[in-house]
Amino acid sequence: METKKAIFNDAPAGEIGAEIIGLDLRTLPADAPELEEILQLIYRNKLIVIRGQSLTPEEYVAFTKKLGRPQIYFQTNYHHPEHPEIFVSSNVLEDNKKIGVSGTGRYWHTDCAFEEKPLSFTSLLPQIFPKSVRETYYIDMSKVYRNLPADLKAYVDNTKSVQDARLRYKVQESDIDKSILEILERFGQEAPPVEHPTVIEHPVTHEKILYINSGFTTKLVGLTHEENETVLRALFDFVEKEENIHTHSWEEGDLLIWDNRFLIHKASSVPKGEMSKSYRIGIYDNHPFYVGLEK
């Protein structure tokens, strides 16, 4: 009996979002040539969707280990109870227990931009979809940089920006009876603000990418507070134009992987009363996040 070959479809020219059809990730050997094809598809297309997947948590973790090194997120309250590699975004109680954190990522950001060595790839595998809408939105920041007006480009070239996660911190049970100041100070010690180049160079494709986002970027180094207020607002307004947004509408069995160097993203809101649960695994590839940064 002839085995059907998986189909790898690149995105149309100038777009993001490739598609893989007919590939069973559960049975993919660790030395399968398809793994290198997947990596190259990500680098070329920034975002890929692998259709028709039904993975157990164990199988999901095992697949990501074949692509690179799975991340274990530094905050344990996001962890799957049996697999710390899995970051759980969920508003669904399990055995009357809260698992993971609900309402994550509903603002423009790139995962772990606030770390010294940011996260290469994000993979996402929804488990329970809301009844009404489930979308994730993406913006290609290499395309944005190419189209950036000269006056704004002058502010970002050869500069650094500050990435700070403190205002995105989600309060947890251990924070009860603590002041907001105490909570922010503690989290600031766990995840202190970091500086990265405002324009980075991709280590594989060598494209220039505007590396800012309205979720975590708080200032451009060297500008006054007033200048930052004006320049960052102008930059974010340009970045977040409707014409720059790519929308992925989820289908059952979709597994998405994207390159955090290229893309910022935002999750859609979940209407009140609807259930939502997703598993995320971050993956470090075998390259530094950007040219000039150590692996």
Side-chain angles (χ1 to χ4, degrees):
M1 181 177 176
E2 185 179 351
T3 303
K4 290 185 178 179
K5 185 173 176 58
I7 299 171
F8 290 69
N9 291 324
D10 280 285
E15 301 296 328
I16 66 172
E19 182 181 53
I20 300 176
I21 302 170
L23 186 64
D24 188 347
L25 299 181
R26 297 171 300 178
T27 59
L28 203 61
D31 60 352
E34 289 88 350
L35 292 167
E36 182 60 27
E37 288 188 67
I38 290 171
L39 287 172
Q40 295 307 316
L41 204 67
I42 296 169
Y43 294 135
R44 287 198 306 272
N45 297 273
K46 285 83 171 178
L47 165 73
I48 68 169
V49 53
I50 308 176
R51 303 287 190 186
Q53 301 305 310
S54 179
L55 305 177
T56 65
E58 293 84 359
E59 291 167 339
Y60 186 22
V61 172
F63 163 65
T64 60
K65 286 181 177 179
K66 297 169 188 174
L67 274 186
R69 176 170 61 88
Q71 178 196 45
I72 297 180
Y73 193 65
F74 73 99
Q75 289 181 279
T76 58
N77 56 313
Y78 288 87
H79 290 183
H80 185 285
E82 297 172 4
H83 302 279
E85 299 91 344
I86 299 177
F87 175 112
V88 181
S89 178
S90 174
N91 64 4
V92 180
L93 295 179
E94 300 181 30
D95 296 326
N96 290 318
K97 293 181 180 178
K98 176 178 169 55
I99 303 296
V101 176
S102 65
T104 61
R106 295 175 186 170
Y107 50 88
W108 287 111
H109 68 290
T110 182
D111 291 332
C112 302
F114 53 85
E115 296 190 354
E116 290 286 348
K117 295 183 179 179
L119 181 64
S120 310
F121 300 155
T122 295
S123 65
L124 194 60
L125 184 64
Q127 304 295 301
I128 298 174
F129 287 95
K131 291 180 180 178
S132 55
V133 62
R134 180 56 182 172
E135 296 175 335
T136 305
Y137 312 106
Y138 299 89
I139 294 176
D140 178 1
M141 297 296 281
S142 62
K143 186 175 181 180
V144 168
Y145 179 69
R146 290 194 300 272
N147 294 331
L148 205 60
D151 60 330
L152 291 179
K153 191 169 284 190
Y155 282 107
V156 300
D157 282 339
N158 303 309
T159 65
K160 289 190 174 183
S161 56
V162 175
Q163 314 293 330
D164 190 344
R166 283 177 293 182
L167 294 183
R168 300 297 177 179
Y169 176 78
K170 289 188 176 293
V171 175
Q172 50 189 305
E173 190 174 344
S174 61
D175 295 321
I176 293 174
D177 294 332
K178 293 183 174 64
S179 70
I180 296 298
L181 183 59
E182 287 176 302
I183 294 169
L184 289 176
E185 286 178 346
R186 179 185 57 76
F187 185 64
Q189 293 172 353
E190 293 178 8
V194 300
E195 293 182 7
H196 290 296
T198 312
V199 179
I200 62 172
E201 180 181 339
H202 196 285
V204 177
T205 71
H206 297 286
E207 292 171 80
K208 299 289 187 181
I209 304 163
L210 181 62
Y211 192 63
I212 62 171
N213 60 86
S214 56
F216 297 136
T217 306
T218 57
K219 66 179 179 179
L220 301 182
V221 176
L223 298 187
T224 66
H225 174 76
E226 291 76 15
E227 288 172 327
N228 266 299
E229 288 285 305
T230 301
V231 174
L232 284 180
R233 185 67 271 153
L235 283 166
F236 295 145
D237 285 347
F238 185 84
V239 168
E240 297 168 12
K241 287 181 179 180
E242 188 69 28
E243 64 201 58
N244 291 332
I245 299 173
H246 170 89
T247 300
H248 178 76
S249 298
W250 290 89
E251 298 178 10
E252 294 283 350
D254 283 356
L255 188 156
L256 260 63
I257 308 174
W258 63 88
D259 190 329
N260 282 304
R261 304 170 178 97
F262 283 116
L263 303 183
I264 62 173
H265 66 281
K266 179 174 75 169
S268 59
S269 297
V270 176
K272 187 175 180 180
E274 296 188 18
M275 294 189 299
S276 177
K277 177 181 173 183
S278 289
Y279 287 166
R280 180 189 104 183
I281 300 181
I283 307 167
Y284 296 99
D285 62 7
N286 194 32
H287 299 282
F289 190 78
Y290 51 79
V291 172
L293 183 70
E294 293 181 0
K295 285 196 291 185

